[in-house]
């Protein structure tokens, strides 16, 4: 296969389809999502057969148990995909909404209208259910999409792609509105991220290596985050019981997610009181603790933290702990080491909470809440395409609105500029 020619054709078809999707009605796009849900339900056996091929290939190639688990399409996961399509169909449509309308001194009315981005390329690994999640969000927000899943899930993704095509065809939308790349050749990724004439934005979902490569090589804007080095700071005005509950949840609710706490900060004024409560709570959960010198004076049996620990996204039951010089020290540490994903303060002091959310430069800042809430569903977005730590366009969990842009609209009645 000539990969460059293939990807150019995919891009051309997506650009043409984007125009048709953008002018389709909300009802049409919703019916496409619901028809896809029905197609998935009817194709359970085909999905299972395709997934079995991927699982067998994964075992032969030495994928570990965690990767195989992410790859598997169980009946329950198929149920979740179907329910996800129905939920997205029920979400409010952001397209066409006009806001901020106001009369100007000249007599014209000026406002902003929400519009699709156009063609969205999504590159992801392992989990075939991402194919449905990404396609549904892009379609609902009036975009065409090009999906490039991992080579380990090629059979599952193509089986899902057939259901997506069936759903689109049922309502008269072009099947090219959602295209799942048919080749496992990695050169396809390189081509996709260098097609600015056909692709408007790239969303990478995967490991740090994948995202670094795409950020470095792309000629198309990228919505992404590299790391989730998230912090919880326990202030001297914190409620101790609340602080322990939130910190333990932020670390141990799930270890392998980007919104899991990786560094715990404590005000030096309360370190001697709080660390004897926190240490056993984490140890009971099987978390390895690595502490600064002051931390180890209190928790004497833990490992010494190094400079590298303050920058580490463990994605594992490992936690770095540092005692800091009050709120100023916490903010300085976070702004130095944070990946600008999610950071939280535990305090009963309103003034300190306001300073924290104002001065910490992250895409989500929280007060008295676990970092694990940094999620599109928890934020009321219905679903998310990913998390962005960039400062332009979309920041934080990216839902339907994050897959759109705005343009100015002006209404006059024969107005001319004097």
């Amino acid at each position: 296969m000539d990969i460059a020619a293939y990807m150019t054709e995919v891009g051309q078809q997506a650009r043409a389809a984007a125009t048709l999707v953008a002018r389709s009605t909300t009802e049409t796009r919703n019916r496409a999502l619901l028809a896809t849900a029905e197609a998935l339900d009817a194709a359970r056996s085909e999905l299972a057969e395709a997934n079995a091929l991927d699982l067998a290939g994964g075992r032969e190639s030495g994928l570990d148990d965690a990767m195989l688990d992410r790859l598997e399409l169980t009946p329950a996961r198929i149920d979740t995909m179907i329910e996800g399509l129905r939920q997205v169909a029920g979400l409010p449509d952001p397209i066409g909404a006009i806001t901020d309308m106001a009369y100007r001194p000249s007599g014209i009315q000026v406002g902003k209208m929400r519009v699709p981005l156009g063609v969205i390329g999504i590159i992801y690994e392992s989990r075939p259910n991402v194919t449905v999640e990404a396609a549904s969000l892009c379609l609902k927000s009036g975009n065409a999409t090009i999906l490039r899943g991992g080579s380990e899930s090629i059979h599952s993704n193509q089986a899902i792609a057939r259901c997506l095509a069936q759903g689109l065809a049922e309502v008269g939308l072009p099947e090219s509105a959602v295209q799942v790349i048919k080749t496992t050749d990695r050169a396809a990724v390189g081509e996709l991220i260098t097609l600015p004439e056909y692709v408007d934005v790239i969303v990478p979902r995967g490991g740090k290596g994948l995202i670094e490569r795409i950020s470095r090589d792309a000629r198309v804007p990228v919505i992404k985050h590299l790391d989730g080095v998230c912090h919880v700071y326990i202030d001297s005005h914190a409620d101790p019981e609340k602080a322990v509950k939130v910190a333990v949840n932020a670390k141990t609710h799930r270890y392998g997610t980007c919104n899991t706490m990786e560094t715990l900060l404590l005000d030096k004024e309360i370190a001697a009181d709080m660390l004897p409560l926190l240490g056993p709570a984490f140890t009971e959960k099987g978390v390895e603790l690595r502490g600064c010198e002051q931390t180890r004076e209190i928790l004497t049996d833990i490992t010494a933290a190094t400079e590298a620990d303050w920058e580490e996204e463990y994605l594992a039951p490992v936690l770095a702990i540092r005692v800091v010089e009050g709120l100023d020290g916490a903010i300085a540490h976070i702004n130095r080491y944070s990946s600008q994903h999610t950071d939280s303060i535990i305090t009963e002091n309103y003034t300190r909470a306001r300073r924290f959310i104002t001065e910490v430069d992250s895409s989500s800042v929280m007060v008295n809440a676990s970092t694990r809430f940094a999620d599109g569903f928890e934020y009321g977005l219905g679903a998310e395409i990913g998390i962005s730590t960039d400062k332009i366009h979309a920041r934080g969990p990216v839902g339907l609105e994050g897959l759109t842009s705005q343009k100015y609209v002006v209404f006059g009645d024969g107005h001319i500029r004097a």
Side-chain angles (χ1 to χ4, degrees), residues 323-361:
V323 175
V324 295
E325 293 280 343
L327 181 59
D328 287 335
I331 292 172
H333 177 99
I334 291 170
N335 286 342
R336 163 66 179 84
Y337 295 103
S338 171
S339 60
Q340 301 184 320
H341 190 297
T342 304
D343 299 292
S344 181
I345 182 174
I346 313 302
T347 187
E348 300 302 309
N349 185 301
Y350 175 81
T351 302
R352 294 187 180 195
R354 286 288 302 178
R355 268 201 66 200
F356 186 88
I357 63 174
T358 300
E359 297 181 29
V360 168
D361 188 23

mmCIF file of all heavy atoms in Angstrom, residues 323-361:
data_model
loop_
_atom_site.group_PDB
_atom_site.id
_atom_site.type_symbol
_atom_site.label_atom_id
_atom_site.label_comp_id
_atom_site.label_asym_id
_atom_site.label_seq_id
_atom_site.Cartn_x
_atom_site.Cartn_y
_atom_site.Cartn_z
ATOM 1 N N VAL A 323 7.230 18.556 52.735
ATOM 2 C CA VAL A 323 6.807 19.591 53.675
ATOM 3 C C VAL A 323 7.262 20.934 53.114
ATOM 4 O O VAL A 323 8.428 21.081 52.713
ATOM 5 C CB VAL A 323 7.405 19.340 55.072
ATOM 6 C CG1 VAL A 323 7.065 20.493 56.017
ATOM 7 C CG2 VAL A 323 6.907 18.008 55.637
ATOM 8 N N VAL A 324 6.346 21.916 53.073
ATOM 9 C CA VAL A 324 6.656 23.201 52.438
ATOM 10 C C VAL A 324 6.399 24.355 53.403
ATOM 11 O O VAL A 324 5.733 24.206 54.424
ATOM 12 C CB VAL A 324 5.809 23.405 51.155
ATOM 13 C CG1 VAL A 324 6.180 22.382 50.104
ATOM 14 C CG2 VAL A 324 4.312 23.350 51.467
ATOM 15 N N GLU A 325 6.933 25.499 53.036
ATOM 16 C CA GLU A 325 6.781 26.721 53.834
ATOM 17 C C GLU A 325 5.441 27.395 53.522
ATOM 18 O O GLU A 325 5.372 28.388 52.799
ATOM 19 C CB GLU A 325 7.930 27.682 53.524
ATOM 20 C CG GLU A 325 9.295 27.192 53.970
ATOM 21 C CD GLU A 325 9.527 27.411 55.462
ATOM 22 O OE1 GLU A 325 8.781 28.214 56.060
ATOM 23 O OE2 GLU A 325 10.454 26.789 56.012
ATOM 24 N N GLY A 326 4.389 26.829 54.052
ATOM 25 C CA GLY A 326 3.079 27.427 53.920
ATOM 26 C C GLY A 326 2.552 27.489 52.500
ATOM 27 O O GLY A 326 3.040 26.797 51.589
ATOM 28 N N LEU A 327 1.548 28.333 52.286
ATOM 29 C CA LEU A 327 0.884 28.444 50.989
ATOM 30 C C LEU A 327 1.847 28.922 49.913
ATOM 31 O O LEU A 327 1.820 28.427 48.778
ATOM 32 C CB LEU A 327 -0.316 29.383 51.094
ATOM 33 C CG LEU A 327 -1.146 29.589 49.818
ATOM 34 C CD1 LEU A 327 -1.707 28.272 49.307
ATOM 35 C CD2 LEU A 327 -2.280 30.583 50.074
ATOM 36 N N ASP A 328 2.720 29.881 50.247
ATOM 37 C CA ASP A 328 3.697 30.362 49.260
ATOM 38 C C ASP A 328 4.588 29.237 48.782
ATOM 39 O O ASP A 328 4.866 29.113 47.584
ATOM 40 C CB ASP A 328 4.551 31.485 49.864
ATOM 41 C CG ASP A 328 3.785 32.781 50.021
ATOM 42 O OD1 ASP A 328 2.808 32.984 49.271
ATOM 43 O OD2 ASP A 328 4.155 33.586 50.893
ATOM 44 N N GLY A 329 5.029 28.401 49.715
ATOM 45 C CA GLY A 329 5.887 27.276 49.342
ATOM 46 C C GLY A 329 5.159 26.262 48.485
ATOM 47 O O GLY A 329 5.733 25.696 47.547
ATOM 48 N N ALA A 330 3.878 26.028 48.796
ATOM 49 C CA ALA A 330 3.089 25.070 48.013
ATOM 50 C C ALA A 330 2.884 25.568 46.595
ATOM 51 O O ALA A 330 3.077 24.820 45.621
ATOM 52 C CB ALA A 330 1.741 24.833 48.686
ATOM 53 N N ILE A 331 2.501 26.835 46.455
ATOM 54 C CA ILE A 331 2.271 27.394 45.119
ATOM 55 C C ILE A 331 3.567 27.399 44.308
ATOM 56 O O ILE A 331 3.566 27.051 43.116
ATOM 57 C CB ILE A 331 1.679 28.810 45.228
ATOM 58 C CG1 ILE A 331 0.255 28.737 45.806
ATOM 59 C CG2 ILE A 331 1.662 29.506 43.864
ATOM 60 C CD1 ILE A 331 -0.345 30.086 46.129
ATOM 61 N N ALA A 332 4.676 27.743 44.948
ATOM 62 C CA ALA A 332 5.964 27.752 44.249
ATOM 63 C C ALA A 332 6.333 26.355 43.781
ATOM 64 O O ALA A 332 6.803 26.161 42.648
ATOM 65 C CB ALA A 332 7.052 28.316 45.161
ATOM 66 N N HIS A 333 6.126 25.343 44.648
ATOM 67 C CA HIS A 333 6.447 23.960 44.257
ATOM 68 C C HIS A 333 5.569 23.513 43.100
ATOM 69 O O HIS A 333 6.061 22.945 42.113
ATOM 70 C CB HIS A 333 6.252 23.018 45.445
ATOM 71 C CG HIS A 333 6.501 21.575 45.092
ATOM 72 N ND1 HIS A 333 7.688 20.919 45.365
ATOM 73 C CD2 HIS A 333 5.722 20.659 44.449
ATOM 74 C CE1 HIS A 333 7.620 19.682 44.917
ATOM 75 N NE2 HIS A 333 6.429 19.499 44.360
ATOM 76 N N ILE A 334 4.272 23.765 43.202
ATOM 77 C CA ILE A 334 3.351 23.308 42.158
ATOM 78 C C ILE A 334 3.667 23.967 40.823
ATOM 79 O O ILE A 334 3.740 23.297 39.785
ATOM 80 C CB ILE A 334 1.895 23.567 42.578
ATOM 81 C CG1 ILE A 334 1.513 22.649 43.753
ATOM 82 C CG2 ILE A 334 0.943 23.346 41.400
ATOM 83 C CD1 ILE A 334 0.187 22.971 44.394
ATOM 84 N N ASN A 335 3.865 25.265 40.824
ATOM 85 C CA ASN A 335 4.141 25.951 39.564
ATOM 86 C C ASN A 335 5.503 25.581 38.991
ATOM 87 O O ASN A 335 5.742 25.775 37.802
ATOM 88 C CB ASN A 335 4.005 27.458 39.734
ATOM 89 C CG ASN A 335 2.548 27.904 39.849
ATOM 90 O OD1 ASN A 335 1.639 27.161 39.485
ATOM 91 N ND2 ASN A 335 2.329 29.096 40.366
ATOM 92 N N ARG A 336 6.385 25.026 39.826
ATOM 93 C CA ARG A 336 7.687 24.558 39.330
ATOM 94 C C ARG A 336 7.596 23.135 38.784
ATOM 95 O O ARG A 336 8.158 22.829 37.733
ATOM 96 C CB ARG A 336 8.715 24.619 40.472
ATOM 97 C CG ARG A 336 10.001 23.815 40.259
ATOM 98 C CD ARG A 336 10.838 24.363 39.113
ATOM 99 N NE ARG A 336 12.062 23.602 38.951
ATOM 100 C CZ ARG A 336 12.174 22.457 38.268
ATOM 101 N NH1 ARG A 336 11.084 21.943 37.676
ATOM 102 N NH2 ARG A 336 13.328 21.829 38.163
ATOM 103 N N TYR A 337 6.873 22.256 39.456
ATOM 104 C CA TYR A 337 6.908 20.836 39.101
ATOM 105 C C TYR A 337 5.613 20.300 38.484
ATOM 106 O O TYR A 337 5.614 19.229 37.876
ATOM 107 C CB TYR A 337 7.234 19.995 40.340
ATOM 108 C CG TYR A 337 8.602 20.242 40.899
ATOM 109 C CD1 TYR A 337 8.773 21.015 42.045
ATOM 110 C CD2 TYR A 337 9.738 19.720 40.286
ATOM 111 C CE1 TYR A 337 10.036 21.250 42.576
ATOM 112 C CE2 TYR A 337 11.006 19.947 40.804
ATOM 113 C CZ TYR A 337 11.149 20.715 41.944
ATOM 114 O OH TYR A 337 12.402 20.946 42.462
ATOM 115 N N SER A 338 4.511 20.991 38.630
ATOM 116 C CA SER A 338 3.238 20.490 38.119
ATOM 117 C C SER A 338 3.243 20.405 36.599
ATOM 118 O O SER A 338 3.905 21.189 35.921
ATOM 119 C CB SER A 338 2.101 21.409 38.571
ATOM 120 O OG SER A 338 0.887 21.076 37.921
ATOM 121 N N SER A 339 2.491 19.450 36.075
ATOM 122 C CA SER A 339 2.302 19.350 34.620
ATOM 123 C C SER A 339 1.100 20.167 34.171
ATOM 124 O O SER A 339 0.650 20.033 33.038
ATOM 125 C CB SER A 339 2.131 17.888 34.218
ATOM 126 O OG SER A 339 0.992 17.330 34.863
ATOM 127 N N GLN A 340 0.557 20.983 35.082
ATOM 128 C CA GLN A 340 -0.583 21.870 34.797
ATOM 129 C C GLN A 340 -1.848 21.089 34.463
ATOM 130 O O GLN A 340 -2.679 21.533 33.680
ATOM 131 C CB GLN A 340 -0.238 22.870 33.692
ATOM 132 C CG GLN A 340 0.959 23.751 34.043
ATOM 133 C CD GLN A 340 1.246 24.797 32.989
ATOM 134 O OE1 GLN A 340 1.145 24.525 31.797
ATOM 135 N NE2 GLN A 340 1.604 25.994 33.418
ATOM 136 N N HIS A 341 -1.970 19.927 35.071
ATOM 137 C CA HIS A 341 -3.151 19.090 34.881
ATOM 138 C C HIS A 341 -4.188 19.412 35.954
ATOM 139 O O HIS A 341 -5.171 20.113 35.687
ATOM 140 C CB HIS A 341 -2.746 17.617 34.919
ATOM 141 C CG HIS A 341 -3.810 16.659 34.505
ATOM 142 N ND1 HIS A 341 -4.993 16.515 35.191
ATOM 143 C CD2 HIS A 341 -3.869 15.778 33.472
ATOM 144 C CE1 HIS A 341 -5.733 15.589 34.601
ATOM 145 N NE2 HIS A 341 -5.086 15.122 33.558
ATOM 146 N N THR A 342 -3.967 18.919 37.196
ATOM 147 C CA THR A 342 -4.927 19.111 38.275
ATOM 148 C C THR A 342 -4.203 19.230 39.610
ATOM 149 O O THR A 342 -3.351 18.395 39.924
ATOM 150 C CB THR A 342 -5.923 17.937 38.352
ATOM 151 O OG1 THR A 342 -6.572 17.787 37.084
ATOM 152 C CG2 THR A 342 -6.965 18.162 39.426
ATOM 153 N N ASP A 343 -4.560 20.251 40.394
ATOM 154 C CA ASP A 343 -3.962 20.445 41.708
ATOM 155 C C ASP A 343 -5.039 20.915 42.679
ATOM 156 O O ASP A 343 -5.932 21.682 42.314
ATOM 157 C CB ASP A 343 -2.813 21.461 41.626
ATOM 158 C CG ASP A 343 -1.712 20.980 40.689
ATOM 159 O OD1 ASP A 343 -1.037 19.999 41.038
ATOM 160 O OD2 ASP A 343 -1.561 21.564 39.603
ATOM 161 N N SER A 344 -4.938 20.453 43.941
ATOM 162 C CA SER A 344 -5.989 20.693 44.918
ATOM 163 C C SER A 344 -5.420 21.191 46.241
ATOM 164 O O SER A 344 -4.328 20.788 46.642
ATOM 165 C CB SER A 344 -6.776 19.396 45.156
ATOM 166 O OG SER A 344 -7.823 19.580 46.084
ATOM 167 N N ILE A 345 -6.168 22.064 46.916
ATOM 168 C CA ILE A 345 -5.824 22.529 48.256
ATOM 169 C C ILE A 345 -6.885 22.052 49.236
ATOM 170 O O ILE A 345 -8.082 22.063 48.921
ATOM 171 C CB ILE A 345 -5.706 24.076 48.320
ATOM 172 C CG1 ILE A 345 -5.284 24.534 49.723
ATOM 173 C CG2 ILE A 345 -6.997 24.760 47.898
ATOM 174 C CD1 ILE A 345 -5.003 26.035 49.837
ATOM 175 N N ILE A 346 -6.441 21.628 50.420
ATOM 176 C CA ILE A 346 -7.356 21.265 51.494
ATOM 177 C C ILE A 346 -7.217 22.337 52.561
ATOM 178 O O ILE A 346 -6.160 22.478 53.192
ATOM 179 C CB ILE A 346 -7.023 19.875 52.088
ATOM 180 C CG1 ILE A 346 -6.802 18.840 50.976
ATOM 181 C CG2 ILE A 346 -8.138 19.432 53.027
ATOM 182 C CD1 ILE A 346 -7.969 18.648 50.038
ATOM 183 N N THR A 347 -8.257 23.129 52.753
ATOM 184 C CA THR A 347 -8.215 24.238 53.705
ATOM 185 C C THR A 347 -9.625 24.673 54.064
ATOM 186 O O THR A 347 -10.560 24.496 53.270
ATOM 187 C CB THR A 347 -7.428 25.437 53.123
ATOM 188 O OG1 THR A 347 -7.268 26.437 54.143
ATOM 189 C CG2 THR A 347 -8.148 26.052 51.930
ATOM 190 N N GLU A 348 -9.761 25.253 55.247
ATOM 191 C CA GLU A 348 -11.020 25.862 55.661
ATOM 192 C C GLU A 348 -10.932 27.382 55.589
ATOM 193 O O GLU A 348 -11.857 28.080 56.005
ATOM 194 C CB GLU A 348 -11.370 25.419 57.087
ATOM 195 C CG GLU A 348 -11.532 23.916 57.251
ATOM 196 C CD GLU A 348 -12.589 23.325 56.350
ATOM 197 O OE1 GLU A 348 -13.727 23.847 56.346
ATOM 198 O OE2 GLU A 348 -12.289 22.347 55.629
ATOM 199 N N ASN A 349 -9.820 27.876 55.053
ATOM 200 C CA ASN A 349 -9.577 29.314 54.970
ATOM 201 C C ASN A 349 -9.929 29.806 53.571
ATOM 202 O O ASN A 349 -9.243 29.483 52.600
ATOM 203 C CB ASN A 349 -8.117 29.613 55.310
ATOM 204 C CG ASN A 349 -7.815 31.104 55.363
ATOM 205 O OD1 ASN A 349 -7.997 31.818 54.388
ATOM 206 N ND2 ASN A 349 -7.340 31.558 56.513
ATOM 207 N N TYR A 350 -10.988 30.593 53.460
ATOM 208 C CA TYR A 350 -11.475 31.044 52.157
ATOM 209 C C TYR A 350 -10.424 31.867 51.419
ATOM 210 O O TYR A 350 -10.226 31.700 50.208
ATOM 211 C CB TYR A 350 -12.752 31.873 52.345
ATOM 212 C CG TYR A 350 -13.270 32.496 51.070
ATOM 213 C CD1 TYR A 350 -14.030 31.754 50.167
ATOM 214 C CD2 TYR A 350 -12.996 33.834 50.768
ATOM 215 C CE1 TYR A 350 -14.498 32.314 49.002
ATOM 216 C CE2 TYR A 350 -13.468 34.404 49.592
ATOM 217 C CZ TYR A 350 -14.210 33.641 48.714
ATOM 218 O OH TYR A 350 -14.670 34.192 47.544
ATOM 219 N N THR A 351 -9.745 32.756 52.140
ATOM 220 C CA THR A 351 -8.750 33.617 51.502
ATOM 221 C C THR A 351 -7.627 32.797 50.895
ATOM 222 O O THR A 351 -7.182 33.063 49.769
ATOM 223 C CB THR A 351 -8.177 34.619 52.522
ATOM 224 O OG1 THR A 351 -9.249 35.399 53.057
ATOM 225 C CG2 THR A 351 -7.162 35.540 51.865
ATOM 226 N N ARG A 352 -7.173 31.780 51.612
ATOM 227 C CA ARG A 352 -6.101 30.926 51.083
ATOM 228 C C ARG A 352 -6.602 30.104 49.892
ATOM 229 O O ARG A 352 -5.862 29.894 48.928
ATOM 230 C CB ARG A 352 -5.562 30.019 52.186
ATOM 231 C CG ARG A 352 -4.862 30.794 53.294
ATOM 232 C CD ARG A 352 -4.181 29.878 54.283
ATOM 233 N NE ARG A 352 -3.529 30.660 55.334
ATOM 234 C CZ ARG A 352 -2.628 30.164 56.171
ATOM 235 N NH1 ARG A 352 -2.289 28.882 56.093
ATOM 236 N NH2 ARG A 352 -2.089 30.927 57.093
ATOM 237 N N ALA A 353 -7.825 29.638 49.971
ATOM 238 C CA ALA A 353 -8.388 28.887 48.844
ATOM 239 C C ALA A 353 -8.439 29.760 47.593
ATOM 240 O O ALA A 353 -8.096 29.318 46.490
ATOM 241 C CB ALA A 353 -9.785 28.382 49.199
ATOM 242 N N ARG A 354 -8.857 31.019 47.752
ATOM 243 C CA ARG A 354 -8.921 31.930 46.613
ATOM 244 C C ARG A 354 -7.528 32.188 46.037
ATOM 245 O O ARG A 354 -7.361 32.249 44.814
ATOM 246 C CB ARG A 354 -9.561 33.257 47.045
ATOM 247 C CG ARG A 354 -11.054 33.181 47.271
ATOM 248 C CD ARG A 354 -11.837 33.052 45.989
ATOM 249 N NE ARG A 354 -11.590 34.165 45.076
ATOM 250 C CZ ARG A 354 -12.131 34.263 43.871
ATOM 251 N NH1 ARG A 354 -12.929 33.308 43.429
ATOM 252 N NH2 ARG A 354 -11.877 35.296 43.096
ATOM 253 N N ARG A 355 -6.545 32.365 46.889
ATOM 254 C CA ARG A 355 -5.174 32.563 46.397
ATOM 255 C C ARG A 355 -4.709 31.352 45.605
ATOM 256 O O ARG A 355 -4.096 31.478 44.548
ATOM 257 C CB ARG A 355 -4.214 32.798 47.568
ATOM 258 C CG ARG A 355 -3.987 34.255 47.949
ATOM 259 C CD ARG A 355 -2.698 34.396 48.724
ATOM 260 N NE ARG A 355 -1.539 34.088 47.907
ATOM 261 C CZ ARG A 355 -0.346 33.757 48.401
ATOM 262 N NH1 ARG A 355 -0.150 33.677 49.705
ATOM 263 N NH2 ARG A 355 0.662 33.495 47.586
ATOM 264 N N PHE A 356 -5.006 30.168 46.121
ATOM 265 C CA PHE A 356 -4.569 28.937 45.462
ATOM 266 C C PHE A 356 -5.166 28.818 44.069
ATOM 267 O O PHE A 356 -4.451 28.579 43.089
ATOM 268 C CB PHE A 356 -4.974 27.734 46.316
ATOM 269 C CG PHE A 356 -4.443 26.414 45.815
ATOM 270 C CD1 PHE A 356 -3.201 25.955 46.209
ATOM 271 C CD2 PHE A 356 -5.203 25.612 44.969
ATOM 272 C CE1 PHE A 356 -2.715 24.727 45.769
ATOM 273 C CE2 PHE A 356 -4.738 24.397 44.517
ATOM 274 C CZ PHE A 356 -3.478 23.955 44.914
ATOM 275 N N ILE A 357 -6.489 28.998 43.944
ATOM 276 C CA ILE A 357 -7.105 28.807 42.630
ATOM 277 C C ILE A 357 -6.733 29.929 41.667
ATOM 278 O O ILE A 357 -6.802 29.760 40.453
ATOM 279 C CB ILE A 357 -8.642 28.655 42.729
ATOM 280 C CG1 ILE A 357 -9.294 29.925 43.289
ATOM 281 C CG2 ILE A 357 -9.000 27.439 43.561
ATOM 282 C CD1 ILE A 357 -10.819 29.876 43.279
ATOM 283 N N THR A 358 -6.317 31.073 42.205
ATOM 284 C CA THR A 358 -5.902 32.183 41.351
ATOM 285 C C THR A 358 -4.464 32.019 40.870
ATOM 286 O O THR A 358 -4.153 32.280 39.706
ATOM 287 C CB THR A 358 -6.028 33.521 42.110
ATOM 288 O OG1 THR A 358 -7.389 33.709 42.495
ATOM 289 C CG2 THR A 358 -5.587 34.697 41.247
ATOM 290 N N GLU A 359 -3.586 31.570 41.741
ATOM 291 C CA GLU A 359 -2.157 31.582 41.447
ATOM 292 C C GLU A 359 -1.595 30.265 40.929
ATOM 293 O O GLU A 359 -0.507 30.239 40.353
ATOM 294 C CB GLU A 359 -1.382 32.018 42.697
ATOM 295 C CG GLU A 359 -1.714 33.439 43.134
ATOM 296 C CD GLU A 359 -0.936 33.876 44.362
ATOM 297 O OE1 GLU A 359 0.205 33.382 44.563
ATOM 298 O OE2 GLU A 359 -1.460 34.715 45.133
ATOM 299 N N VAL A 360 -2.291 29.153 41.152
ATOM 300 C CA VAL A 360 -1.815 27.874 40.609
ATOM 301 C C VAL A 360 -2.208 27.792 39.140
ATOM 302 O O VAL A 360 -3.383 27.887 38.782
ATOM 303 C CB VAL A 360 -2.395 26.686 41.403
ATOM 304 C CG1 VAL A 360 -2.134 25.373 40.667
ATOM 305 C CG2 VAL A 360 -1.781 26.645 42.791
ATOM 306 N N ASP A 361 -1.230 27.603 38.275
ATOM 307 C CA ASP A 361 -1.436 27.689 36.823
ATOM 308 C C ASP A 361 -1.679 26.302 36.227
ATOM 309 O O ASP A 361 -0.841 25.750 35.518
ATOM 310 C CB ASP A 361 -0.214 28.350 36.178
ATOM 311 C CG ASP A 361 -0.432 28.648 34.704
ATOM 312 O OD1 ASP A 361 -1.600 28.751 34.292
ATOM 313 O OD2 ASP A 361 0.566 28.765 33.969
#
